[in-house]
Amino acid sequence: MMKKVAVIGVGLTKFGKHPKVSSRELFAEAAFKAIEDAGIDLKDVEEAFVGSFLPDVLEHQGHIAPLMLDYIGLTGIPATHTEGACASSGVAVRMGYMAIASGLRDIVLVAGVEKMTDFPTSDVTEALALASDDLFEASEGLTFPGVFALMAKAHMDKYGTTEEQMAAVAVKNHHNALFNPYAQFHKEINIETVLSSRVIAWPLKLFDCSPISDGAAVIILASEDVAKKYTDTPVWIVASAQASDTMALCEREELTTFKAARMAAEQAYKMAGVKPKDIDIAEVHDCFTIAEIIAYEDLGFCEKGEGGKLIEEGETEIGGRIPVNTSGGLKAKGHPVGATGVAQIIEVVHQLRGEAGKRQVDGAEIGLTHNVGGTGATVTVHILRR
Amino acid sequence: MEEAERLVKKYFEFVSEKKFMGLKCKKCGAYILPPKSICKKCGSREFEWVEFSGKGSLYTFTVIHVAAKRFLNDAPFVVGVVQLEEGPRITARIVGVDPNKPETIKTGMPLKVTFIESDEKVLLAFEPEK
Ligand SMILES: [Zn+2]
């Protein structure tokens, strides 16, 4: 029988530009915070999973899991790097979950880290494009924003979704980030800010895109017996799901949805024994504004094609029917790609513990995270409960 | 099956010769692009190369303004997903349209294959069918 898995400690760096430090220092800051939050000793950690997407390409550094752990004085234990593009650390969370659920481990450290702002935008654009099918799509000139722009255009054609509705996602997430001290941006914007920003990949403009960021996020997972020893407020991971799809967009039946997201969500709801209407808060992968609108639909928060209406009617704001991205999301909290999956879990933990300050959703009991890798070829969905 | 191991390279050899070729499943007749080691319709691994008509329509598109390093000189340019007459879709450059007037580019518009040169390579492209 599978064991219950709790999050007993969380640690986050501020997201944004950190020109004076390397990724290992970002990792260490988050790791020591998480260990302190959990109330464990460093030596209690039995295994570690570190999600990161581009350390080899950008930082010229491979084999980063033992490197990170060594920097905090933790050698000897198994340390594994997971890579699933922008879902790299969502995948790490699932590995950590499985290590404990299987009974093999009692305390596991799960991290996500990425260092991106030291490099020119064209280099980062080139690097991020590694998450698409290089031969068949990136080599035609398709960029990462371009992938989501193709989907945005398909969604606009099929459902009448508008650029204003997409802009509303950015406006909401920038507003939420005002109340998140870890967020990259603390700046209110309006629809016009988005619509008048320069075009990146038509119809997506600069303010439809998440920024380039540095950051690290670490959580400590524990089995039920151990969790009870360290905390009175464990947050349980009640579902951990992952699915895959074709890398190339041209091979998908539909370009208005992520099949892997729908599959992972379906598995997660089944595993947790809950329905979309039971979710109190969600952190979804808004790497581009259209991605949040598609996420509403893929996760069952609204009918297919009605995502644009859901944001327009304010249903996903704090105080709405289903608050989404209370942290500010990838758009305004920042998107150090490999750190995002764990950072999403941390926002849900803050909310379920009632520690989210001015962005707190009253009485939140069940939260969901949705982490999309690259073109959506990997998606993880986690459900947490207090 | 020796041939299956070099399907992808073979496809790009054809492109470099400005030929638009694809696979046809010997068992069920399905057309396959991009090449795969197995027919997703019937599971067969027996294919033959056939020349595609090069006709299709624009399924969706974007205009890339911020390009990756190797295509900086091309921007702005249009990339689209093309619905091919034979069934599969393919991602390619769309030329003969105005990247600065995306509102004049219509999904569903008929296209035909052409080839362009960029990044020191021949790239698959489509242009409006006149
Ligand atoms: Zn077949």
Side-chain angles (χ1 to χ4, degrees), chain A residues 160-173:
Chain A
T161 304
T162 65
E163 293 180 56
E164 286 78 6
Q165 289 170 335
M166 291 191 262
V169 171
V171 173
K172 167 182 71 71
N173 291 348

Side-chain angles (χ1 to χ4, degrees), chain A residues 74-107:
Chain A
L74 201 56
T75 51
I77 63 166
T80 306
H81 174 205
T82 61
E83 193 269 301
C86 313
S88 290
S89 69
V91 172
V93 173
R94 188 159 168 278
M95 302 305 279
Y97 172 89
M98 291 194 291
I100 288 173
S102 67
L104 194 65
R105 302 291 181 208
D106 283 310
I107 298 185

Side-chain angles (χ1 to χ4, degrees), chain B residues 24-32 38-47:
Chain B
K24 188 176 180 190
C25 175
K26 280 187 176 169
K27 200 169 160 200
C28 77
Y31 290 91
I32 302 163
I38 190 160
C39 172
K40 285 186 182 178
K41 287 217 171 82
C42 77
S44 164
R45 296 179 61 192
E46 299 285 328
F47 314 112

Side-chain angles (χ1 to χ4, degrees), chain A residues 198-239:
Chain A
R198 70 191 171 98
V199 180
I200 302 296
W202 185 90
L204 300 180
K205 294 157 287 287
L206 182 66
F207 274 85
D208 286 300
C209 308
S210 55
I212 292 169
S213 320
D214 304 326
V218 175
I219 55 176
I220 306 295
L221 302 183
S223 62
E224 187 171 15
D225 297 345
V226 171
K228 284 182 175 159
K229 211 166 85 187
Y230 288 101
T231 180
D232 297 326
T233 56
V235 170
W236 304 101
I237 299 182
V238 292

Side-chain angles (χ1 to χ4, degrees), chain A residues 137 140 150 157 202 251-252, chain B residues 36 62 89 91 93 107:
Chain A
E137 296 199 321
E140 285 284 335
L150 290 175
D157 278 356
W202 185 90
E251 294 183 70
R252 301 201 184 149
Chain B
K36 283 276 141 45
T62 176
R89 295 187 196 125
T91 300
R93 288 290 180 94
T107 48

